[in-house]
Amino acid sequence: ELKVEQNPLFLSMQEGKNYTIYCNYSTTSDRLYWYRQDPGKSLESLFVLLSNGAVKQEGRLMASLDTKARLSTLHITAAVHDLSATYFCAVASLRGSQGNLIFGKGTKLSVKP
Amino acid sequence: NAGVTQTPKFRILKIGQSMTLQCAQDMNHNYMYWYRQDPGMGLKLIYYSVGAGITDKGEVPNGYNVSRSTTEDFPLRLELAAPSQTSVYFCASSYYIAGGQTYEQYFGPGTRLTVT
């Protein structure tokens, strides 16, 4: 059974600082997703990572995937208040299918001035 | 495009009542999904569909039913509502062909359901 663990679950950062959120998963998978959720809102897709060594960047966020270590990271560079949100990773539990995604519990990020 | 739409936005049910949560997408996506999100938790997949007429169970299907008669619509039926079904329900859709490019999931705004 695929398990997905994120850490930390809560993260309080100062503006301008860098930090990394980690997403570990327990069995082999061929795709990993990162999402952002603002309080009381729906989810917004950030990145889809498909292969070992994949790296994607959007603004101050950079996601990477190491399939051998079963680890994805979401790196935040020079955090700003607008990045405050909850970030989820999700892993596909079936190869060749987008059907069954298993989500982590989320990392609640708070960026303070 | 409206994207993924869900109705209603909020609903209060009494124990034992039934209801249908509606979900529609206008992006011609083949995959559609129903998730539930409990407070402070990630999403758990209830059911998903890979196309009209084809559905499959996710992690937490008990107490729910789905059907997919068209590409656009994917309603979720709750039979005999229980307090444990109090949650926020999200519908999502995506386009995916095995061996082809993977596209992102688009989520609806959610339905907040309380069962008392």
Side-chain angles (χ1 to χ4, degrees), chain A residues 2-77:
Chain A
L2 174 62
K3 293 188 188 310
V4 179
E5 289 189 0
Q6 283 182 243
N7 68 82
L9 297 183
F10 298 93
L11 179 54
S12 181
M13 296 176 65
Q14 292 277 323
E15 276 193 333
K17 299 289 190 185
N18 303 334
Y19 209 82
T20 300
I21 298 170
Y22 298 88
C23 175
N24 289 90
Y25 54 100
S26 60
T27 64
T28 303
S29 177
D30 61 357
R31 70 186 59 84
L32 186 141
Y33 303 78
W34 283 99
Y35 297 91
R36 168 183 171 142
Q37 185 178 37
D38 293 307
K41 303 289 187 184
S42 188
L43 277 76
E44 174 191 355
S45 179
L46 295 174
F47 303 108
V48 181
L49 302 169
L50 301 178
S51 59
N52 189 41
V55 177
K56 291 197 174 179
Q57 182 159 8
E58 180 78 31
R60 299 174 189 274
L61 300 177
M62 183 173 71
S64 65
L65 178 63
D66 181 344
T67 57
K68 291 176 184 171
R70 299 178 190 155
L71 171 69
S72 179
T73 60
L74 181 66
H75 187 74
I76 302 153
T77 302

Side-chain angles (χ1 to χ4, degrees), chain A residues 92-104:
Chain A
S93 65
L94 293 173
R95 278 191 170 274
S97 169
Q98 203 176 21
N100 205 341
L101 295 187
I102 307 296
F103 279 72

Side-chain angles (χ1 to χ4, degrees), chain B residues 17 27 34 44 46 61 65 71 73 75 102 104 116:
Chain B
Q17 288 185 320
M27 297 174 282
W34 275 106
K44 289 190 182 296
I46 305 170
N65 278 303
T71 300
D73 300 298
T102 292
E104 61 190 286
T116 62

